[in-house]
């Protein structure tokens, strides 16, 4: 099939490369020429495992990139909207980029002959496709959805760092189409996958995505709540949750307690669902607590540190791990952000290290001192906070010798060293 993918960020570039790998003709569209140039050269615009290989293989062949909506939409039969939906101040999602992309697609559809399906892959709250995207498409194209063109909502469940693998090996495909014809066309794209395809309407598809992410986030906050209780009772919460996870109704995944969840999805999605619920007159107490627990976890680390070394004024604190999780350079909503902000507010001197995310964190905290390795960041430090579950931190031992006081507070259960005064956040 001929597919255009609007937006070349994390979701768009992976979706485009994977559809190309599945044998489709793919055109990437982005308003940022830097990104389209990179894709045309076979270079990923973001770091994602396996993406470089796929782009190298398909760029210039069945995968091209352009900044021109007209040609991208005209030359394809199906368009995936994969643009960002950032958090607005009030927790709702900012639909301005979706609006711009949708209007641009509609404007081309106005002049295009033949049936075209527009698929929303961006994460949008329930009712957005039906009440926002479709009216905009109809208005900008002068055509009618379901008659002149098709519409579907097809959420992604891709983990950063594992997105290519997840795309190719999904647990489920969800397609919420406005009619049989649009749904059938989108389903065809995924027919080689072994997993089941769930066919439904757009609002249900949107809600599946939010319920999915909110439940995973809830599991983490739940594990953190239990962890915080265990800590006070001197019980190892990892032992507890390992046993709990053996219940087949629960599963052992997403039960690791620690500094909490970050990333571009969980905090934003839970907040957007809370906001949507309130908008329609429901107060989602559980979801609000999920966020509250998550926001407290990094602050608990600072409180533990203060109990150990007193005032942080003038103290040197090494922060190991800046990315929101391992194997990514992404710092969005990283738990290291509130920790660094609080350390700076309390007058501490922060020395930071991450194997991949330093440049991204430098944009947020330009005055923090960054180091190229853990040992240098630990040099002369009074204490160390571990914020990301990087594998290389498991090997740290002799590196801790560089510290003045060997105090480590581990937010991710990665440190094995016997040479430090070690404290886990909630175990
Ligand atoms: C998540 C979802 O997994 C994915 O399906 C969705 O499409 C996007 O959001 P991602 O943001 O890439 O993916 O990260 P994920 O691997 O799920 O981890 C999210 C955060 O939770 C990380 O900060 C991680 O450190 C934290 N986490 C995860 C825990 O604190 N404990 C756990 O047990 C698991």
């Amino acid at each position: 099939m001929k597919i255009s993918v609007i937006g070349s960020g994390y979701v768009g570039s992976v979706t485009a490369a994977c559809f190309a790998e599945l044998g489709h003709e793919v055109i990437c569209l982005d308003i940022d020429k830097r990104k389209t140039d990179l894709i045309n050269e076979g270079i990923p615009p973001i770091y994602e495992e396996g993406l470089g290989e796929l782009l190298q293989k398909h760029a210039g062949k069945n995968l091209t990139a352009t900044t021109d909506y007209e040609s991208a939409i005209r030359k394809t039969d199906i368009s995936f909207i994969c643009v960002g939906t950032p958090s607005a101040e009030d927790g709702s999602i900012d639909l301005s980029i979706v609006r711009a992309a949708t209007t641009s697609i509609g404007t081309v559809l106005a002049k295009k002959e033949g049936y075209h399906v527009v698929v929303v892959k961006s994460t949008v709250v329930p009712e957005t496709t039906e009440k926002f995207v479709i009216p905009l498409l109809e208005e900008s194209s002068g055509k009618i959805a379901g008659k002149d063109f098709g519409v579907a909502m097809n959420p992604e469940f891709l983990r950063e760092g594992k997105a290519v693998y997840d795309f190719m090996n999904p647990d489920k495909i969800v397609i919420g189409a406005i009619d049989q014809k649009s749904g059938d066309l989108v389903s065809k794209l995924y027919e080689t996958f072994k997993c089941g395809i769930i066919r439904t309407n757009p609002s249900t598809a949107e809600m599946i995505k939010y319920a999915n992410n909110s439940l995973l986030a809830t599991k983490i906050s739940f594990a953190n709540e239990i962890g915080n209780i265990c800590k006070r009772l001197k019980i190892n919460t990892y032992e507890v949750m390992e046993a709990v996870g053996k219940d087949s109704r629960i599963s052992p995944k997403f039960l690791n307690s620690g500094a909490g969840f970050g990333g571009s999805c969980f905090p934003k999605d839970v907040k957007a669902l809370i906001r949507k619920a309130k908008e329609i007159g429901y107060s989602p107490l559980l979801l609000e607590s999920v966020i509250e627990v998550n926001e407290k976890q990094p602050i608990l680390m600072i409180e533990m540190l203060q109990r150990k070394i007193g005032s942080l004024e003038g103290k040197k604190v090494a922060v190991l791990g800046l990315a929101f999780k391992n194997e990514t350079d992404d710092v969005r909503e990283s738990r290291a952000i509130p920790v660094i902000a609080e350390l700076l507010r309390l007058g501490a001197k922060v020395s930071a290290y991450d194997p991949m995310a330093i440049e991204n964190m430098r944009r947020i905290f330009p005055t923090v001192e960054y180091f190229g390795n853990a040992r240098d960041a630990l040099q002369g430090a009074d204490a160390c906070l571990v914020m990301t579950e990087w594998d290389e931190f498991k090997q740290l031992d002799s590196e801790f010798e560089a510290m003045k006081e060997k105090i480590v507070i581990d937010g991710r259960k990665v440190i094995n060293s016997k040479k430090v005064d070690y404290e886990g956040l909630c175990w």
Side-chain angles (χ1 to χ4, degrees), residues 96-280:
S96 56
I97 316 174
V98 174
R99 177 196 295 276
T102 306
T103 311
S104 302
I105 296 171
T107 310
V108 183
L109 287 187
K111 300 166 277 178
K112 191 187 173 215
E113 283 179 18
Y115 188 72
H116 195 100
V117 180
V118 180
V119 187
V120 179
K121 207 178 243 309
S122 300
T123 300
V124 291
V125 293
E127 298 188 316
T128 305
T129 300
E130 280 168 358
K131 292 191 175 167
F132 182 84
V133 173
I134 292 178
L136 266 177
L137 281 172
E138 291 186 329
E139 196 185 309
S140 48
S141 68
K143 294 184 173 175
I144 295 166
K147 179 172 158 275
D148 305 318
F149 62 90
V151 178
M153 203 281 148
N154 169 220
E156 48 78 21
F157 301 94
L158 312 174
R159 290 167 298 171
E160 273 184 45
K162 298 273 180 293
V164 170
Y165 176 86
D166 286 349
F167 190 99
M168 293 302 195
N169 303 276
D171 287 337
K172 61 184 174 235
I173 298 289
V174 177
I175 299 168
I178 56 163
D179 57 13
Q180 188 74 27
K181 193 174 171 188
S182 331
D184 286 350
L185 212 88
V186 182
S187 292
K188 257 187 103 52
L189 295 173
Y190 297 105
E191 68 189 1
T192 53
F193 291 147
K194 283 196 281 299
C195 72
I197 295 183
I198 298 157
R199 296 278 294 266
T200 182
N201 60 53
S203 291
T204 307
E206 289 159 341
M207 188 51 121
I208 290 170
K209 166 75 188 212
Y210 277 91
N212 210 104
N213 273 0
S214 296
L215 182 53
L216 290 171
T218 302
K219 284 186 82 173
I220 299 170
S221 278
F222 177 83
N224 287 338
E225 183 112 298
I226 296 294
N228 294 337
I229 300 170
C230 281
K231 175 93 188 165
R232 281 156 184 78
L233 293 169
K234 301 196 169 26
I235 295 169
N236 181 341
T237 189
Y238 270 77
E239 204 182 322
V240 172
M241 294 321 267
E242 199 185 323
V244 170
K246 295 231 188 287
D247 188 320
S248 61
R249 294 167 298 177
I250 296 174
S251 117
K253 294 179 183 161
F254 283 76
L255 291 179
N256 291 333
S257 56
F261 55 81
S264 63
C265 293
F266 287 170
K268 175 177 81 116
D269 293 353
V270 178
K271 284 178 195 161
L273 187 55
I274 291 171
R275 175 76 202 177
K276 179 72 187 176
K278 286 186 170 169
E279 228 175 81
I280 50 172

Side-chain angles (χ1 to χ4, degrees), residues 310-358:
S311 162
L312 299 181
E313 181 82 49
K315 299 272 166 62
K316 180 170 173 178
V317 181
V319 175
L320 297 187
L322 303 170
F324 85 93
K325 65 172 186 183
N326 59 345
E327 304 304 325
T328 179
D329 65 351
D330 195 345
V331 299
R332 284 177 290 178
E333 295 286 339
S334 166
R335 298 298 79 198
I337 297 173
V339 157
I340 294 175
E342 187 64 1
L343 287 171
L344 295 177
R345 194 185 69 81
L346 294 168
K349 221 172 142 273
V350 175
S351 56
Y353 166 67
D354 187 282
M356 271 187 199
I358 288 177

